[in-house]
Amino acid sequence: MRYQALFLLFAVGTANATTLEVEVSQGSHETERYTYQLTDERQTLDLRESGRYTVAIQDKIRAKEICREAEFRTGIMMTLRQVEKPAHGKYLVEVVGQVSKLKRLEEKEHLDCGTNMVPIIENAAFSDTSLIEVGRPKAMVVDGKTTLLLTVKE
C-alpha cells in the first residue's frame, strides 16, 4: 500500500511538470540547450567564462608589494521564471539578464613582483516578459550575436 501511494505521488508530480527549454545560439558557436522546471522561482542560466589577470599593489602600511591573480567573468547570464499561472496552454515567462564583454586589460602600476592590470568590462542588461504557447518556440534576440529560443513543454 505504501509503494502504491509513493508511485501515485511520483506520477502526479511528473504529470504536472511543465518545463522551459532554452536554446542559446551565440555567433558561430554550436547551439546549446538547457531545460528547467517552469515555476515562479527564479532559475539561473550562467554561461559566463572566466579570465585571469594580475593585481599588483603597494601596501604602504607594511611597506610590501602584494601580487595576486584575480578573475573576471564575461558572457551571458540570465534568470528565468513563470510570472503568472498558466491560462489555456499559455505561460507568461520573464527573462532578465546581462551580457558582459571584456573591452581591454589596462596596465597600471609596474612593481617588482608584477604589473597591476585592470579589466575594462562592458555590461548590457536585457529583459523581456513573453507570453509563450505550449509547443510554439519564442525567439528573443539579446544582442547582435546571441539569440534565445524559448519553448514551453507540458
Side-chain angles (χ1 to χ4, degrees):
M1 187 67 144
R2 185 180 312 164
Y3 293 112
Q4 287 177 335
L6 286 173
F7 178 76
L8 185 59
L9 184 62
F10 176 77
V12 169
T14 56
N16 294 333
T18 302
T19 59
L20 177 64
E21 188 174 275
V22 181
E23 289 184 57
V24 182
S25 176
Q26 292 181 306
S28 61
H29 292 80
E30 194 168 316
T31 300
E32 297 177 53
R33 181 176 294 157
Y34 304 91
T35 303
Y36 295 94
Q37 285 294 124
L38 190 57
T39 67
D40 58 352
E41 297 291 318
R42 291 187 194 282
Q43 306 283 339
T44 301
L45 177 57
D46 190 346
L47 300 176
R48 296 178 296 171
E49 295 179 356
S50 298
R52 301 191 75 68
Y53 64 100
T54 57
V55 177
I57 58 172
Q58 181 69 42
D59 184 346
K60 292 180 170 84
I61 302 221
R62 295 186 200 132
K64 286 175 69 176
E65 291 181 356
I66 301 172
C67 290
R68 301 273 189 274
E69 275 200 348
E71 182 178 274
F72 62 86
R73 298 189 71 184
T74 56
I76 187 169
M77 180 183 158
M78 69 190 88
T79 60
L80 311 138
R81 73 179 179 112
Q82 175 182 323
V83 179
E84 295 176 359
K85 295 295 177 203
H88 310 293
K90 295 181 181 178
Y91 292 80
L92 197 57
V93 177
E94 173 189 76
V95 179
V96 178
Q98 172 177 297
V99 177
S100 303
K101 290 185 236 173
L102 178 65
K103 196 171 176 182
R104 68 183 174 279
L105 279 173
E106 283 187 2
E107 287 189 18
K108 295 291 184 179
E109 193 173 5
H110 295 279
L111 302 176
D112 290 338
C113 67
T115 302
N116 190 30
M117 307 291 284
V118 177
I120 307 300
I121 297 174
E122 292 180 336
N123 295 308
F126 63 91
S127 67
D128 186 46
T129 303
S130 298
L131 190 61
I132 304 174
E133 235 178 286
V134 174
R136 295 200 62 195
K138 165 81 174 165
M140 180 178 166
V141 178
V142 175
D143 60 6
K145 295 180 183 176
T146 307
T147 302
L148 305 175
L149 194 60
L150 308 171
T151 307
V152 174
K153 296 184 178 181
E154 290 184 318

